[in-house]
Amino acid sequence: MRRGIAVSPGVAIGTAYVIHDIFVNPDTKRLEDSEITAELASYETARDRAAGELRTLEKKVEAQVGRNEASIFAIHQQILRDGAFTSKIRSWICEDRMAAEAALHRLLGEYTGLFARTEDEYLKERLNDVRDVIIRLCNHLVSKQQPDLDEVKGPLIVVANELLPSQTVALGKIEVAGIVTQSGSQTSHAAIIARSRGIPAVSGIKGILRAVKTGDTIVVDGRDGHVEINPPAETLAAFRKLEREFFDLKDKLAENRELPAVTSCGVELQLHANINGVSDAKAATAMGATGIGLFRTEYMYLTHNDVPDEEEQFQTYCEIIANSPENNVTIRTLDIGGDKALSYFGKDHHEANPFMGWRSIRLSFEHPEFFNTQLRAILRAATVFPNGNVRIMFPMVTTFEELRKLRSFVRKAHKDLENRKIKTREIPVGMMLEVPAAAVTIDTMLTQVDFVSIGSNDLVQYLMAADRDNPKVSYLCQPLSPAVLRVLYQVITACNSAKKPVTVCGEMAGQPKAFLLLLGMGLRRFSMSPAFVPSIKQIAAQISVMEAEQILESALKFKETAQVVRFMARQVGQLVPSLAMLDI
Ligand code: PEP
Ligand code: MG
């Protein structure tokens, strides 16, 4: 049994499919004579593919972002062509009989030792490039060696260090029953993906990649955050019963799909969904969401090998809007940086604190052409759906000046399209509230926006000064902490007083304990992982606004997070006992 952090509720049992990070377990076996030629050929194929990929990336990034950003791919091609690099690998395969992956591992070790002795910062930086090239080569080698997904008998439990967006895309085609990751926490990528698909997940389990191999039987308990590896028959039987209960509960809740989201006293709520792509938009419709409160566009870039141009973006937005409930979609502009990196942005730009640094609109401002392209594509797509409700939303807004600048970007995008004789229409422009500075100045910010969406995942990490992806400080990164509750209450009250629509689109909006408190604060719009819409509908039907206000009043008196959590768990338990399984 291994413990981690519960990041997506429920219980799942399945066969492990381990996605190895490069070099977690490099193959150390000695090659037989008969295997050497094939191994060499695999290496050469991987090298050709990596070179082709780099050439394409260089061309596309140069055309769409700039020569500076593209130059990194030229350097990587030089490394790949380097005579010493290749001859070492070849000789280790042929003479030392090493597998290609193990030879690359050895080479990386050699370079790391060599670079460690230099004081030169520039040279040290180059080690990152060598590592990058080696990882690219390994990806081509490993994808060949991984057992085919079809060969592993499902249902599958995916085990990985952290799920990368590109891996998620590959997994999109198969039935995944659960996700287990070594790093990450409640608001990291794997957690968000798991919740959006309604599958149990546990993150932050140290050493899990060494403890599990593909084919093992795994139990994922997403209620309290633990996994069981090859458990004895009686443990397995007990979990099978829980798994059935979880499925039954999901089926029962899904019957709420057609019902309106309304409190027991008749107040209507907007339950929207957070999505990363078209399949999530379809899931949102299936789960009975009435709109998309957050489309995270960075996933469109992250899952592309290169920069999507205006036409590609336009097509994607149209497809998302067409598949969304009531063509109602809030599109967030690129939110890259922090934990999400794009290979063509800021490659040579390393920061000690990426979450506090050059991310989101800060990066978009420095690449106006890139930013304009995205805005034009959004405006064009909005025009295709005149009866829908398409809105633009900017992430990480910190100051009033930024809002003015953002508005002028939107004006320019309209103008550029007008010059191209493309008709556009005015659409609502809003901000995400995820930086404490913006919360403090909310009254002035409200004069510049049509709506606000509170990104509580980031707001909590910045308010509590605790990295949202670091399991060591997850005890601080708590949306139910008294400090967070006070700030949320102030912001929601300010927006309601100014009659500006306000939503919470952080993960807490879909958690029953937090939902009750937000309702008590006056919030009527919630955006969450699609899978949580039915359970929030269920709990909403059991409570009146006045009861929620009383619960809030009591909760605000506590001085400690744990007291709030215990109190709220009791409230949820009394209202809808069966939801305990879905509340984390
Ligand atoms: C948030 O910060 O709450 C949010 C919804 O945005 P993301 O999780 O994509 O940072
Ligand atoms: Mg955010």
Side-chain angles (χ1 to χ4, degrees):
M1 194 244 250
R2 306 246 167 176
R3 283 218 162 271
I5 304 164
V7 298
S8 183
V11 171
I13 302 168
T15 310
Y17 182 77
V18 182
I19 300 180
H20 276 292
D21 253 17
I22 305 308
F23 303 143
V24 170
N25 291 316
D27 193 352
T28 48
K29 82 170 175 107
R30 266 173 75 79
L31 299 173
E32 300 292 329
D33 280 349
S34 58
E35 293 169 323
I36 289 176
T37 315
E39 194 64 17
L40 214 45
S42 294
Y43 172 69
E44 298 299 347
T45 309
R47 196 164 160 266
D48 289 347
R49 289 201 180 132
E53 205 168 70
L54 286 165
R55 272 195 301 276
T56 314
L57 273 169
E58 185 189 358
K59 273 201 210 112
K60 197 124 190 202
V61 172
E62 176 166 7
Q64 294 178 17
V65 186
R67 182 63 222 152
N68 270 351
E69 282 72 19
S71 63
I72 193 73
F73 300 111
I75 295 175
H76 287 193
Q77 288 172 69
Q78 276 167 20
I79 296 172
L80 207 52
R81 282 195 299 268
D82 181 74
F85 185 110
T86 297
S87 65
K88 274 193 176 168
I89 299 290
R90 283 187 188 136
S91 95
W92 288 338
I93 294 174
C94 298
E95 283 150 37
D96 296 358
R97 295 164 180 272
M98 292 175 88
E101 195 195 348
L104 285 165
H105 187 212
R106 178 163 161 189
L107 188 66
L108 183 58
E110 269 196 6
Y111 277 113
T112 307
L114 212 65
F115 281 89
R117 290 195 285 278
T118 171
E119 293 295 313
D120 185 329
E121 280 307 313
Y122 178 79
L123 270 183
K124 276 193 193 298
E125 234 2 276
R126 299 279 72 84
L127 176 62
N128 283 334
D129 294 319
V130 173
R131 181 179 290 122
D132 219 317
V133 170
I134 290 181
I135 286 175
R136 191 178 292 278
L137 275 166
C138 272
N139 273 329
H140 285 289
L141 280 170
V142 170
S143 65
K144 217 191 91 224
Q145 290 162 9
Q146 272 287 74
D148 222 346
L149 276 170
D150 307 338
E151 291 166 21
V152 189
K153 298 256 180 313
L156 296 185
I157 306 290
V158 173
V159 183
N161 179 32
E162 170 61 304
L163 274 188
L164 303 175
S166 52
Q167 291 165 334
T168 315
V169 172
L171 292 175
K173 298 173 203 91
I174 56 159
E175 197 62 33
V176 176
I179 295 178
V180 177
T181 64
Q182 189 155 282
S183 53
S185 66
Q186 282 233 348
T187 51
S188 49
H189 183 75
I192 288 171
I193 296 297
R195 280 195 296 267
S196 77
R197 295 212 196 163
I199 51 183
V202 178
S203 285
I205 309 188
K206 271 201 212 126
I208 190 74
L209 283 172
R210 289 191 188 279
V212 179
K213 53 183 189 323
T214 294
D216 283 345
T217 297
I218 299 209
V219 172
V220 183
D221 189 338
R223 300 165 312 158
D224 70 344
H226 86 273
V227 300
E228 310 257 354
I229 306 160
N230 297 324
E234 57 277 22
T235 313
L236 204 55
F239 276 105
R240 287 226 182 276
K241 190 162 168 286
L242 283 169
E243 189 186 35
R244 263 195 311 278
E245 279 173 24
F246 173 59
F247 285 139
D248 290 348
L249 178 62
K250 280 212 302 193
D251 287 349
K252 192 160 166 300
L253 289 170
E255 290 167 9
N256 292 345
R257 199 170 27 225
E258 307 295 334
L259 300 177
V262 54
T263 62
S264 67
C265 58
V267 171
E268 260 188 54
L269 305 177
Q270 298 289 331
L271 300 190
H272 290 177
N274 297 344
I275 63 163
N276 300 333
V278 179
S279 62
D280 292 342
K282 291 181 182 163
T285 310
M287 288 292 161
T290 49
I292 301 305
L294 168 65
F295 167 33
R296 293 180 162 100
T297 57
E298 55 277 10
Y299 286 91
M300 177 182 65
Y301 296 83
L302 286 162
T303 52
H304 242 77
N305 249 346
D306 44 46
V307 199
D309 60 25
E310 183 182 315
E311 202 50 40
E312 282 170 305
Q313 291 192 43
F314 167 68
Q315 298 294 348
T316 304
Y317 300 144
C318 285
E319 202 184 349
I320 295 268
I321 301 167
N323 283 288
S324 294
E326 300 171 26
N327 305 138
N328 180 351
V329 186
T330 300
I331 303 180
R332 173 173 82 181
T333 62
L334 184 66
D335 184 13
I336 215 72
D339 60 337
K340 298 174 224 143
L342 280 183
S343 55
Y344 41 89
F345 265 141
K347 202 72 218 289
D348 270 344
H349 175 83
H350 292 281
E351 300 184 327
N353 293 305
F355 269 119
M356 307 267 223
W358 197 49
R359 65 172 283 209
S360 308
I361 51 167
R362 303 170 184 187
L363 185 146
S364 298
F365 282 147
E366 273 191 50
H367 286 276
E369 217 5 77
F370 189 86
F371 195 22
N372 286 332
T373 304
Q374 180 169 38
L375 293 173
R376 286 195 302 270
I378 297 174
L379 291 177
R380 280 177 59 193
T383 311
V384 176
F385 298 87
N387 299 321
N389 180 21
V390 177
R391 314 192 296 177
I392 298 182
M393 177 160 79
F394 295 111
M396 279 289 288
V397 174
T398 309
T399 66
F400 185 83
E401 301 88 288
E402 283 174 348
L403 279 179
R404 293 181 47 156
K405 202 161 159 186
L406 289 165
R407 285 237 167 237
S408 73
F409 265 94
V410 176
R411 278 196 300 276
K412 177 172 165 28
H414 275 290
K415 221 169 175 53
D416 289 349
L417 289 170
E418 221 176 276
N419 291 341
R420 279 162 50 193
K421 308 262 176 298
I422 298 176
K423 260 179 75 150
T424 60
R425 65 188 176 99
E426 291 297 327
I427 61 173
V429 173
M431 65 179 276
M432 285 195 76
L433 192 137
E434 35 192 3
V435 180
V440 171
T441 54
I442 184 70
D443 55 330
T444 54
M445 300 300 224
L446 285 173
T447 62
Q448 294 295 310
V449 293
D450 301 314
F451 67 93
V452 170
S453 190
I454 303 176
S456 51
N457 304 338
D458 275 316
L459 182 62
V460 174
Q461 80 161 339
Y462 292 128
L463 196 62
M464 304 301 286
D467 183 341
R468 63 192 259 184
D469 285 332
N470 183 345
K472 282 248 185 267
V473 292
S474 62
Y475 72 98
L476 284 169
C477 223
Q478 294 293 333
L480 297 191
S481 77
V484 173
L485 295 182
R486 285 188 200 190
V487 171
L488 289 171
Y489 198 11
Q490 282 164 19
V491 172
I492 292 168
T493 307
C495 293
N496 285 341
S497 304
K499 301 210 170 357
K500 292 277 160 102
V502 54
T503 308
V504 168
C505 66
E507 294 300 317
M508 70 186 296
Q511 293 164 356
K513 292 195 275 293
F515 164 78
L516 291 179
L517 292 171
L518 294 169
L519 183 67
M521 291 179 193
L523 193 76
R524 301 292 177 259
R525 295 160 182 259
F526 303 79
S527 192
M528 61 199 74
S529 297
F532 289 170
V533 171
S535 50
I536 293 298
K537 245 185 218 180
Q538 179 85 7
I539 197 159
Q542 311 294 320
I543 188 139
S544 69
V545 165
M546 202 196 283
E547 285 161 343
E549 285 168 356
Q550 282 159 1
I551 292 175
L552 173 71
E553 201 184 317
S554 306
L556 287 174
K557 293 197 179 116
F558 293 115
K559 298 187 180 67
E560 295 178 19
T561 308
Q563 292 170 322
V564 182
V565 172
R566 270 199 303 275
F567 173 71
M568 291 312 298
R570 271 203 308 279
Q571 303 301 320
V572 174
Q574 280 162 16
L575 280 170
V576 195
S578 58
L579 280 190
M581 193 179 220
L582 294 182
D583 201 10
I584 47 173

